Amino acid sequence: MSSFLHVILFLVCIIGSTVYSVDRGNFKTCEQSNFCKRCRSMNKNQKTAFELVPDSVLLTDKYFEALISNTNYDDVSLRMRLDGLKDSTLRLRINKDGNQMYNRFQPVHALVSEPITESMIMARNASTVELELSKIIKVYITIAPFKLDVYVNEELTIGVNHDNLMQFEHYRPKPESIADNEIGSWEEYFKEHQDSKPRGPSAVSMDFKLYSSTSLYGLPEHADSLALKGTTGNDPYRFYNLDVFEYELYNGMGLYGAVPFLMGHGKKNSVGVFWLNAAETWVDIAGVKGNTEHTSVVESIVNLVSGSSTEKDIPRAHFISECGIIDFFIMLGPKPLDVTRQYSSLTGTTPLPPLFSLAYHQCRWNYNDQKDVHDVETNFDVNDIPMDVMWLDIEYTDSKKYFTWDPVKFSEPLEMVNNLTSRGRKLVTIIDPHIKRDSNYFLHNDAINNDLYVKNKDGDVYEGWCWPGSSSYLDFMNPKVQDYYASRYSIDNFVGPTEDIFIWNDMNEPSVFNGPEVTMPKDCIHHGGYEHRDIHNIYGLLQVMSTYEGLLKRSNGKKRPFILTRSHFAGTQRFAAVWTGDNMADWSHLKISLPMCLSLAISGISFCGADVGGFFNNPDKELLIRWYQTGAFLPFFRSHAHIDTKRREPWLFDEQTTFLIRDAIRTRYTLLPLWYSLFKNHEVTGAPVIRPLFFEFPHEEQLNNIDNEFMVGDILLVCPVLDQNVQELTCYFPGHEEIWYDRDTYQTIKTNGLMKIQAPINKVPVYQRGGTIVPTKQRVRRSSVLMKDDPYTLIVAIDLKAIAKGSLYIDDEESFEYRDGHFIYVEYEYINNQLISKCLHCKDFSSKSWVEKVMIVGIPNVFTKASIQVNGGSLSELSVLYNTHNQVLTVRKPAVGIAQNWTITLL
């Protein structure tokens, strides 16, 4: 069959009236990936080929360096460098010493800056080198065989190459005869596709043994449980960014993103490993308890109590990459939040998003025309449902040519945008990396004339197929392409829009419908002489970096960009939000959205969500309601649907369904002050905005496998309904001395462990942690910008000691002026029957907002009035109302400015 017919059949599967689930046969297994099969089959008991060269050892004031010999090749030596970094972090790099046939790629784009080194102390003997960092960390390097032992406070925490699985294949000419174990190393076939592999085998691998851990996490993006499963007898977890529609659940096949970050957690401490490599990578996991299906709360505890022989095993990970160098970081915690902070100091945090991006987004492939857009957003107002952002998929363009508009359906884009912004709303448009090969298309002509495209193995412009048909792909490795692409977002070049249009970068794995595994051939050539195999997993990151730069320049650096990307890598969080891709309208896909986003959050990417309602197929009313109720508590909150699905805007259902969807969305808007404050804290500290329960309660082993509940910050416990026909569910309430308050009724829960919760269709089980103060806005309007000056209600939930603390962050919600000190930061504390508000930063920014209500939850009925003192002035009396049913004392109308210092005293 011709390649053209293959393309036609593929397109029929994608856009025809019938949508087919993923064909696993289109994607490789480890057995079909030569380098994975080769490195995985290494006998861990074989004599290692790698030894430290004793005479080469050198310690400078910044790093330790030595040569490593490959005893199988006398003429090959490697140079190893070990850096001690600030904040209990190590970095080890191994590359070939001296000249190489080809440069090995290092994806430094993932790093926010060059890490800061700290000095180490060295001691050595005939067999070992000992390095000491910051007194509590010691690294023992065994000379032969080469391996590392890392101790923290005299306890072995992690071992490197303990299973002798290190590999570093050096570039070399193709031999006349190829050994059996290297068949496929210079040429490989998958289905009808040939990978020419002109540079031969170049794989690197390393094994890690996490001695202090009992469970492993991270390695997103995979549609799998939060706690990683052992891969013995199955494929390893795969990192190879791919366009996988209707992806299967609970396996390790590669999806849209690759974040090679691993976290190990045990009762005493947590550690992390960041494998900095952008090539196809597989990760074997061993030594963890088997977990072949989604783990519920009850199953997690049963497994813990029953125990098994595998619990005594030491968790292990074996990273295998097709090419590149060995470059990894070890983060030594000791707590989960410490590990994520240490990782975030390397790859960066999410800059504070514009507030509108944390509100509700409405999307569909596709809204038909400008009238359709206007009708939809108007109906949100008619039905009293807030909404901040309308989205346009690929059909808004002129024949799938990006940076253009359909001349009939979207003939007046500026008018459309102005209609949205007049109601406080924004527009997001999709811009994909494939470029239509059309001589009447300015971008294609620019790319041809200025040599901006990726080349094929023969040096000609690479041609593949995607939505426009015949397409070529911009080479974002080229600085000239980066500058050109950024310039396309200027208002002069992207004709029609304003600064209120934001961008969705999709299909950027890159997706190539007729390519091997629906992506670009590995032997394509990028700027710098690198093959696509070298840089594949950062192609999407490179695109969003250019997009981000373009949006920055569009506003002269004043306004914060908002970008959504499908393909992602470590460091993507500095530029874009992500979502879980082409999911299905199925309960199992609602359920998997939690561990997928939690895995990303602990791996640095907090700004995550899933298509509410499912992208493919049509959800019934119950599933849609429950998905809105869950999605309202994930950081990115967007409804999206396939072009062949029925319209599902919230008002198209019966009265109850519309009411409950409206209620879920309005709940999100009341909590926007909390979300905004948490994202600001994330930018500063790296703390995940959403997090697994074990992050906050690391000593409770029962929590290690729970992934159907999560925390919003350290404040809200969310236990959503994820199964059909559920009116009651079992939630786990963590903490031995914690008290939790139902956010709907304010009833108290003092249980530590399992508890049955009533969850009728109108109930979202969410609980505020005792000891916290949540700022809310109760006057929900059509969009977040219209709520900017509205008053606040403070929800004060006291703990068992009658104490509570909280904070509030406010700025202009859209610019970067907050980085110059233009913001308000307020801390609240309730203690000794007083609520104290201190504005710790109030300079250079003002707000018209004020406090209209304070609700103190969990307080006994002993107070009948209250007084307020503002800025040390005289006392004023306030009225109070006490609800004996739920023990809530409401202080009405303090009427004090949000940035003023004040104290409310209960009397």
Side-chain angles (χ1 to χ4, degrees):
M1 185 182 295
S2 71
S3 60
F4 177 76
L5 288 178
H6 276 293
V7 172
I8 295 300
L9 289 175
F10 189 93
L11 292 174
V12 168
C13 290
I14 292 285
I15 62 177
S17 59
T18 302
V19 178
Y20 298 92
S21 62
V22 61
D23 180 358
R24 288 291 298 275
N26 287 328
F27 305 101
K28 286 183 180 180
T29 64
C30 178
E31 191 71 14
Q32 294 169 314
S33 180
N34 178 263
F35 79 93
C36 179
K37 177 181 178 181
R38 188 169 65 249
C39 292
R40 197 186 197 197
S41 64
M42 290 175 60
N43 183 351
K44 68 179 182 180
N45 296 315
Q46 71 185 16
K47 183 180 183 298
T48 181
F50 301 100
E51 299 178 355
L52 209 67
V53 178
D55 294 341
S56 67
V57 169
L58 172 67
L59 179 67
T60 74
D61 59 344
K62 291 186 177 181
Y63 58 87
F64 169 84
E65 189 175 71
L67 294 179
I68 297 176
S69 65
N70 184 337
T71 58
N72 290 334
Y73 296 90
D74 294 336
D75 60 340
V76 174
S77 64
L78 308 174
R79 184 166 296 276
M80 183 267 282
R81 171 171 167 167
L82 177 67
D83 294 320
L85 306 179
K86 70 172 187 175
D87 200 5
S88 301
T89 302
L90 301 167
R91 183 184 192 181
L92 188 143
R93 282 169 282 184
I94 300 175
N95 201 351
K96 188 175 182 296
D97 185 46
N99 295 328
Q100 304 185 66
M101 292 177 63
Y102 305 100
N103 290 330
R104 288 185 176 254
F105 182 67
Q106 295 178 261
V108 294
H109 314 76
L111 301 178
V112 67
S113 61
E114 183 64 26
I116 300 174
T117 59
E118 289 193 350
S119 60
M120 296 181 287
I121 300 172
M122 181 175 73
R124 59 174 296 184
N125 56 40
S127 60
T128 307
V129 175
E130 178 186 341
L131 299 169
E132 183 178 308
L133 173 69
S134 65
K135 294 184 180 180
I136 65 170
I137 299 171
K138 292 183 178 179
V139 181
Y140 295 91
I141 305 175
T142 302
I143 292 175
F146 168 71
K147 69 175 183 177
L148 273 72
D149 304 278
V150 181
Y151 284 76
V152 179
N153 291 323
E154 306 299 328
E155 183 172 343
L156 180 59
T157 300
I158 187 169
V160 179
N161 202 34
H162 277 206
D163 286 335
N164 294 329
L165 297 180
M166 174 182 165
Q167 183 59 273
F168 196 106
E169 297 178 333
H170 61 285
Y171 291 120
R172 55 195 184 276
K174 183 178 180 179
E176 292 184 5
S177 61
I178 299 175
D180 290 343
N181 67 336
E182 290 190 332
I183 292 176
S185 296
W186 273 271
E187 184 181 49
E188 187 173 8
Y189 287 86
F190 178 67
K191 303 181 77 171
E192 72 274 21
H193 300 284
Q194 180 207 33
D195 180 3
S196 62
K197 290 191 173 182
R199 304 179 184 186
S202 56
V204 295
S205 69
M206 186 65 78
D207 65 85
F208 302 88
K209 193 169 285 189
L210 291 82
Y211 287 92
S212 62
S213 302
T214 54
S215 300
L216 301 181
Y217 306 93
L219 302 186
E221 180 185 42
H222 297 97
D224 209 346
S225 57
L226 176 66
L228 299 176
K229 300 179 296 193
T231 57
T232 302
N234 296 306
D235 260 8
Y237 289 95
R238 189 186 189 196
F239 286 123
Y240 195 60
N241 293 357
L242 295 169
D243 180 358
V244 186
F245 62 95
E246 284 197 340
Y247 48 83
E248 294 181 3
L249 308 185
Y250 302 109
N251 65 65
M253 71 179 295
L255 291 180
Y256 315 99
V259 186
F261 167 81
L262 175 75
M263 177 179 287
H265 174 64
K267 199 168 185 179
K268 290 185 177 181
N269 60 20
S270 301
V271 298
V273 176
F274 172 37
W275 178 262
L276 184 54
N277 193 299
E280 180 185 356
T281 298
W282 301 76
V283 186
D284 258 322
I285 299 294
V288 294
K289 186 183 300 184
N291 179 18
T292 59
E293 194 57 63
H294 167 78
T295 304
S296 70
V297 175
V298 176
E299 291 169 332
S300 176
I301 295 174
V302 169
N303 290 340
L304 179 71
V305 173
S306 63
S308 69
S309 60
T310 59
E311 285 186 343
K312 299 179 181 179
D313 289 348
I314 299 166
R316 301 182 298 282
H318 180 202
F319 285 78
I320 306 167
S321 294
E322 183 174 17
C323 49
I325 72 169
I326 294 175
D327 186 359
F328 61 85
F329 298 80
I330 297 174
M331 290 70 68
L332 295 168
K335 295 180 180 179
L337 281 168
D338 296 318
V339 174
T340 298
R341 182 193 71 246
Q342 291 155 356
Y343 170 75
S344 296
S345 71
L346 300 171
T347 62
T349 59
T350 300
L352 181 61
L355 183 68
F356 77 82
S357 66
L358 301 180
Y360 175 66
H361 303 246
Q362 183 66 33
C363 185
R364 177 176 179 80
W365 177 23
N366 204 85
Y367 285 116
N368 300 323
D369 50 31
Q370 287 176 217
K371 182 180 183 303
D372 197 8
V373 171
H374 177 72
D375 290 346
V376 169
E377 71 117 358
T378 299
N379 268 302
F380 273 93
D381 295 339
V382 169
N383 290 277
D384 194 25
I385 303 173
M387 184 271 289
D388 265 60
V389 193
M390 286 291 294
W391 289 58
L392 293 178
D393 211 316
I394 54 178
E395 311 302 333
Y396 80 92
T397 62
D398 179 8
S399 304
K400 311 296 189 300
K401 293 181 287 190
Y402 302 107
F403 302 101
T404 70
W405 298 85
D406 185 293
V408 176
K409 296 179 180 178
F410 295 92
S411 59
E412 298 293 338
L414 184 59
E415 176 185 327
M416 177 177 60
V417 175
N418 287 338
N419 286 338
L420 288 167
T421 56
S422 67
R423 293 174 171 84
R425 294 181 172 128
K426 312 293 183 183
L427 181 71
V428 169
T429 59
I430 198 168
I431 304 248
D432 294 346
H434 49 260
I435 305 302
K436 183 173 184 177
R437 296 179 60 84
D438 183 338
S439 59
N440 294 316
Y441 182 21
F442 72 89
L443 208 160
H444 172 64
N445 292 335
D446 287 350
I448 289 293
N449 294 334
N450 296 285
D451 193 22
L452 305 182
Y453 281 139
V454 177
K455 305 296 196 303
N456 64 23
K457 63 181 180 180
D458 299 318
D460 300 321
V461 171
Y462 171 69
E463 180 180 351
W465 280 71
C466 205
W467 297 126
S470 178
S471 304
S472 290
Y473 294 75
L474 294 172
D475 183 4
F476 292 105
M477 281 289 292
N478 189 339
K480 184 168 64 173
V481 173
Q482 297 167 15
D483 292 342
Y484 172 80
Y485 197 72
S487 74
R488 300 320 310 168
Y489 289 100
S490 73
I491 292 175
D492 291 337
N493 286 331
F494 191 2
V495 178
T498 71
E499 292 179 2
D500 291 304
I501 281 192
F502 297 85
I503 301 301
W504 174 15
N505 289 151
D506 195 8
M507 310 294 286
N508 51 350
E509 292 73 28
S511 177
V512 183
F513 291 163
N514 63 332
E517 301 192 89
V518 202
T519 193
M520 186 176 289
K522 289 182 175 181
D523 52 11
C524 282
I525 304 297
H526 290 267
H527 177 79
Y530 293 108
E531 288 188 295
H532 187 69
R533 80 181 76 250
D534 295 306
I535 66 99
H536 175 82
N537 286 340
I538 66 161
Y539 185 85
L541 170 59
L542 294 171
Q543 184 197 16
V544 299
M545 290 173 71
S546 299
T547 300
Y548 190 89
E549 184 65 20
L551 296 186
L552 271 183
K553 289 180 177 178
R554 184 181 70 179
S555 68
N556 294 317
K558 294 179 180 179
K559 286 192 175 182
R560 305 172 215 166
F562 170 71
I563 303 166
L564 182 72
T565 180
R566 191 168 72 177
S567 177
H568 49 279
F569 188 70
T572 292
Q573 66 269 14
R574 305 199 304 273
F575 310 100
V578 304
W579 89 108
T580 61
D582 295 345
N583 59 1
M584 296 174 62
D586 186 87
W587 288 93
S588 62
H589 277 258
L590 166 60
K591 188 178 298 185
I592 204 67
S593 66
L594 300 190
M596 290 182 75
C597 279
L598 287 171
S599 293
L600 282 162
I602 69 174
S603 305
I605 303 178
S606 272
F607 206 172
C608 171
D611 285 344
V612 171
F615 179 63
F616 288 110
N617 301 333
N618 300 299
D620 61 26
K621 292 182 292 186
E622 182 189 8
L623 175 58
L624 191 62
I625 290 167
R626 292 303 194 188
W627 212 317
Y628 268 98
Q629 292 173 343
T630 302
F633 288 93
L634 290 178
F636 178 57
F637 185 24
R638 180 186 75 156
S639 173
H640 185 38
H642 189 272
I643 196 169
D644 289 331
T645 61
K646 298 177 183 178
R647 295 290 286 256
R648 60 171 83 146
E649 286 77 24
W651 52 87
L652 297 179
F653 302 88
D654 60 80
E655 185 176 345
Q656 182 196 40
T657 301
T658 298
F659 174 83
L660 292 175
I661 292 175
R662 178 193 298 116
D663 186 61
I665 296 174
R666 290 175 67 87
T667 296
R668 173 60 167 238
Y669 277 73
T670 65
L671 289 171
L672 283 177
L674 173 63
W675 284 104
Y676 201 56
S677 298
L678 288 172
F679 265 96
K680 174 58 178 175
N681 181 61
H682 164 79
E683 181 184 23
V684 174
T685 69
V689 175
I690 59 170
R691 55 195 74 164
L693 302 191
F694 78 84
F695 253 62
E696 285 303 311
F697 305 92
H699 301 302
E700 288 191 56
E701 293 179 275
Q702 295 92 333
L703 306 178
N704 287 1
N705 288 330
I706 292 177
D707 58 13
N708 59 352
E709 300 178 37
F710 62 97
M711 298 286 297
V712 176
D714 59 353
I715 297 171
L716 300 181
L717 172 66
V718 185
C719 183
V721 176
L722 305 172
D723 294 292
Q724 191 173 16
N725 298 326
V726 166
Q727 300 291 313
E728 179 184 81
L729 74 162
T730 301
C731 296
Y732 189 98
F733 291 89
H736 296 287
E737 295 184 355
E738 296 285 343
I739 183 170
W740 301 90
Y741 297 91
D742 187 311
R743 283 206 74 251
D744 296 324
T745 66
Y746 298 112
Q747 297 296 319
T748 61
I749 295 175
K750 298 180 181 179
T751 300
N752 173 224
L754 295 172
M755 184 173 177
K756 286 190 175 181
I757 299 297
Q758 296 303 307
I761 192 64
N762 64 341
K763 174 66 177 175
V764 188
V766 178
Y767 305 89
Q768 184 173 340
R769 188 178 185 178
T772 65
I773 299 174
V774 173
T776 68
K777 285 191 174 182
Q778 300 295 328
R779 302 185 188 182
V780 176
R781 304 185 190 273
R782 64 159 60 107
S783 63
S784 64
V785 70
L786 302 180
M787 299 167 61
K788 184 174 183 178
D789 295 325
D790 282 350
Y792 288 84
T793 292
L794 304 178
I795 313 296
V796 181
I798 64 175
D799 64 13
L800 295 175
K801 297 178 181 179
I803 296 173
K805 294 182 179 181
S807 61
L808 173 64
Y809 174 84
I810 305 172
D811 61 18
D812 65 15
E813 302 175 356
E814 64 175 3
S815 81
F816 285 102
E817 290 189 6
Y818 73 94
R819 292 183 175 175
D820 296 321
H822 300 281
F823 64 88
I824 292 171
Y825 179 73
V826 184
E827 283 193 350
Y828 302 103
E829 183 177 20
Y830 180 85
I831 189 170
N832 296 329
N833 304 322
Q834 290 185 321
L835 178 60
I836 303 165
S837 173
K838 292 182 179 179
C839 192
L840 300 185
H841 187 102
C842 296
K843 297 179 181 179
D844 303 319
F845 186 77
S846 61
S847 171
K848 297 178 182 179
S849 294
W850 50 285
V851 180
E852 71 172 342
K853 188 189 299 184
V854 173
M855 300 174 66
I856 303 174
V857 183
I859 192 169
N861 185 17
V862 295
F863 303 101
T864 58
K865 57 183 179 179
S867 66
I868 185 169
Q869 184 180 41
V870 182
N871 293 329
S874 59
L875 296 176
S876 301
E877 188 171 322
L878 299 172
S879 63
V880 301
L881 179 67
Y882 187 78
N883 187 322
T884 57
H885 176 67
N886 57 13
Q887 292 189 309
V888 176
L889 180 75
T890 300
V891 182
R892 295 181 292 181
K893 296 184 179 179
V896 60
I898 199 66
Q900 290 181 288
N901 294 321
W902 48 264
T903 300
I904 292 177
T905 303
L906 302 184
L907 303 171

